Structure formats: C-alpha cells, structure tokens
Amino acid sequence: MSKAMKIGIGSILVGLAVLGLKLLAWWMTGSVALLSDAMESTVNVATAIAALVAIRVAARPADANHPYGHHKAELFSAVLEGVMIILAALLILREAWHAFQTAHPLIAPLDGLVVNGAASVLNGVWCWVLLRQGRRFRSPALVADGRHLLSDVISSLGVTFGVLVAIQTGWAWMDPAMAALVAVNILWSGWKVMQESLSGLMDESLSEGVLADVRKVIATESVGAVEAHDLRTRTAGAGTFIEFHLVVPGSLSVSEAHGMCDRVEAGLKALIEGCVVTIHVEPEEKAKHKGIVVL
Ligand code: ZN
Ligand code: ZN
C-alpha cells in the first residue's frame, strides 16, 4: 500500500471516529450547534473518500475503453460530494430554524461538550500528522487537508464557546444561531468543492500564468518553424492536454518536422509532468499570422 493511500485511509477513519463522537455529543445534549459541528465532519469524510477515489481510479492508466485516461473520476466524485455537503448544510439550517422556534434548554450540556472536545483533540492530532507529512513529502494537497482540518478545530472551539455562553446566560437562541453560522460555512465549502470540480469537468483551460510558460516553451523549442497557432489546452483532474498547429517551411522533411515536434513535446513534458501533447504540422502557406500566434 502506498504512503498516500495509508494517509487517505487514515483520514477517512479519523473522520468517521470524529463524526461518531460529535453525533454522540449532539445526542447527549440535543444541541443543534453540536449537530452542525458533527455535519462539518461529514465534509472531511467526503473529501477523504474523493481523495482515495482519485488515488485508486483516477490514477489508472488509459485503456482501450478510456483512451484519454480516468482523470475525471476524481472530479465526478467531488461534484457528487459537493451536492451531499450542500444537502447536509440545508438540513442543519432546517433544524436550526425548528430549534429557534421551539427553544428549549440543553440536556447534559457539559458532558456533551467534553465528548465534543475529545473529538476536537482527535482532529487536532490528525491535523498535526497531515501538516507534518505534507511538509516532509512536499505535498500541497496534504498541507491543504491539514489546514482545512485546522479550520474545523477552530470552528469547533467557536461552537463550544457558543454553547457555553448559552448555558451560562440561559439564552436558548444562542444554540441555533451558532448552528446556522456553521451551516453557512459548510454551505460555502460544499459550493467551493463543487465549483472547482465542475470547471474541471467542463474542460477548463490552463491558467493564464501556465499558458504563458507553455507559449514560451513552444517558441524556444521549435526553432526553424514559421509559427504556431490554434493553441488549445484543457485540464481534467491531474491530467493536462495540450494541442496546437505548428507551421513549418514546406521544404522541411517529415523526419525533420517530427524531430522538431519531439523537442517541443519534451520541453512541455518538462514543464508539466505527464501532459499529453498533440501537434498538427502544416506547411507555411497555412500560416495565419493572427489568432493565438505563438512564434
Ligand atoms: Zn492551422
Ligand atoms: Zn512521434
């Protein structure tokens, strides 16, 4: 089993344990704020599953059925999870609204907060593991996961504080108000998960900055060509596809033109690891001298 998979499975197990503890805290107290805190953990479980799908399915090499690879499996599962996260947030909002109208004091509030606190400690420890491993393996994805978990721990502390205030002051509305606040935050993270993946499913182009580097590589590696035009790029999860037309002098032999293409391809692969490059070679009378001209 690879290191990435071990960490992925660890994230799911920790997420499930934290979710269980937080649900227990909710069940003990009847606090909607603690319920919303628990639902926040479903976001972590969902994203950890998406990451595992990405490692297992999206990393599969291209086959006869899927000649362009399986990258989009990752995006597809992330969109599904975004939908589930948004649904969870809407359910909390409904619960909060209900609790707001029929405000009642919490049962066993302190015991519940202790159980909830134990869940936060577990989250905090795993957050530390993710950040440490992420820095060690220079993995931005792991560091991002760790940071996300850290924000959960902080919002958990906020919820705990809110429930404590509710107990101390007897302000029953404080509990659903905290729940609604967390629900809005969950709604936002669900939307972000979905939005990022949707742009991938829609064949989004490389970012302007990377595109500029791609143009630079094409220009420097295709010495002797007349121009390059109709550059199109698309990303699908971890996969990148680059295609363009390369206009060369008509007198160039097929072997020479192919050698030029191989140099450009090698340059682009050095820039973006594992990118798929398709180059259409044209004689010089096809030069456009307009549009996305690179040379
Ligand atoms: Zn052309
Ligand atoms: Zn070739």
Side-chain angles (χ1 to χ4, degrees), residues 77-130:
S77 80
V79 168
L80 257 178
E81 275 143 17
V83 171
M84 292 192 310
I85 291 166
I86 287 172
L87 268 177
L90 292 177
L91 284 176
I92 296 168
L93 281 177
R94 205 184 66 164
E95 281 296 307
W97 178 242
H98 186 73
F100 200 67
Q101 285 176 320
T102 59
H104 54 81
L106 305 177
I107 348 149
L110 289 177
D111 297 0
L113 284 182
V114 168
V115 172
N116 205 59
S120 285
V121 169
L122 195 57
N123 247 349
V125 168
W126 189 246
C127 163
W128 178 77
V129 170
L130 286 178

Side-chain angles (χ1 to χ4, degrees), residues 229-230 245 247 280 282 286 288:
H229 60 240
D230 292 355
H245 298 183
V247 181
H280 173 78
E282 295 171 345
K286 294 285 182 187
K288 280 188 175 176

Side-chain angles (χ1 to χ4, degrees), residues 249-282:
S251 57
L252 218 63
S253 74
V254 173
S255 308
E256 286 167 325
H258 182 252
M260 191 183 286
C261 289
D262 274 355
R263 282 196 296 279
V264 176
E265 212 177 307
L268 289 173
K269 285 196 162 140
L271 177 69
I272 303 164
E273 204 191 316
C275 67
V276 176
V277 184
T278 310
I279 307 172
H280 173 78
V281 174
E282 295 171 345

Side-chain angles (χ1 to χ4, degrees), residues 11-292:
S11 280
I12 293 175
L13 291 180
V14 170
L16 284 174
V18 168
L19 179 63
L21 281 173
K22 287 185 174 178
L23 282 176
L24 179 66
W26 163 60
W27 179 75
M28 285 164 74
T29 57
S31 155
V32 266
L34 291 188
L35 171 65
S36 66
D37 199 22
M39 284 303 121
E40 197 150 39
S41 296
T42 60
V43 178
N44 301 334
V45 175
T47 46
I49 291 173
L52 208 62
V53 169
I55 293 163
R56 293 279 297 178
V57 183
R60 242 184 254 167
D63 54 29
N65 262 345
H66 303 92
Y68 291 93
H70 299 82
H71 309 289
K72 286 189 177 176
E74 178 187 354
L75 303 166
F76 188 70
S77 80
V79 168
L80 257 178
E81 275 143 17
V83 171
M84 292 192 310
I85 291 166
I86 287 172
L87 268 177
L90 292 177
L91 284 176
I92 296 168
L93 281 177
R94 205 184 66 164
E95 281 296 307
W97 178 242
H98 186 73
F100 200 67
Q101 285 176 320
T102 59
H104 54 81
L106 305 177
I107 348 149
L110 289 177
D111 297 0
L113 284 182
V114 168
V115 172
N116 205 59
S120 285
V121 169
L122 195 57
N123 247 349
V125 168
W126 189 246
C127 163
W128 178 77
V129 170
L130 286 178
L131 287 175
R132 219 175 74 120
Q133 298 286 348
R135 292 206 180 105
R136 212 165 117 203
F137 293 105
R138 292 170 202 282
S139 158
L142 281 184
V143 173
D145 282 356
R147 292 232 173 90
H148 174 91
L149 215 53
L150 190 63
S151 76
D152 284 359
V153 173
I154 292 167
S155 96
S156 257
L157 288 177
V159 166
T160 305
F161 178 72
V163 173
L164 273 176
V165 170
I167 298 165
Q168 285 300 314
T169 57
W171 295 339
W173 56 267
M174 188 88 184
D175 185 45
M178 286 307 288
L181 216 63
V182 176
V184 169
N185 186 38
I186 297 174
L187 209 58
W188 178 242
S189 52
W191 166 244
K192 268 199 303 196
V193 165
M194 224 168 81
Q195 192 197 26
E196 278 165 22
S197 314
L198 276 177
S199 52
L201 281 179
M202 292 305 294
D203 287 345
E204 196 176 41
S205 121
L206 286 170
S207 69
E208 252 328 302
V210 183
L211 218 47
D213 289 339
V214 166
R215 286 200 196 96
K216 217 179 287 164
V217 168
I218 295 174
T220 49
E221 296 300 332
S222 61
V223 181
V226 179
E227 71 166 43
H229 60 240
D230 292 355
L231 171 66
R232 291 193 298 173
T233 62
R234 72 186 172 92
T235 51
T240 302
F241 299 83
I242 302 171
E243 51 182 83
F244 63 92
H245 298 183
L246 187 65
V247 181
V248 300
S251 57
L252 218 63
S253 74
V254 173
S255 308
E256 286 167 325
H258 182 252
M260 191 183 286
C261 289
D262 274 355
R263 282 196 296 279
V264 176
E265 212 177 307
L268 289 173
K269 285 196 162 140
L271 177 69
I272 303 164
E273 204 191 316
C275 67
V276 176
V277 184
T278 310
I279 307 172
H280 173 78
V281 174
E282 295 171 345
E284 55 202 319
E285 56 267 28
K286 294 285 182 187
K288 280 188 175 176
H289 304 300
K290 65 178 166 66
I292 314 169

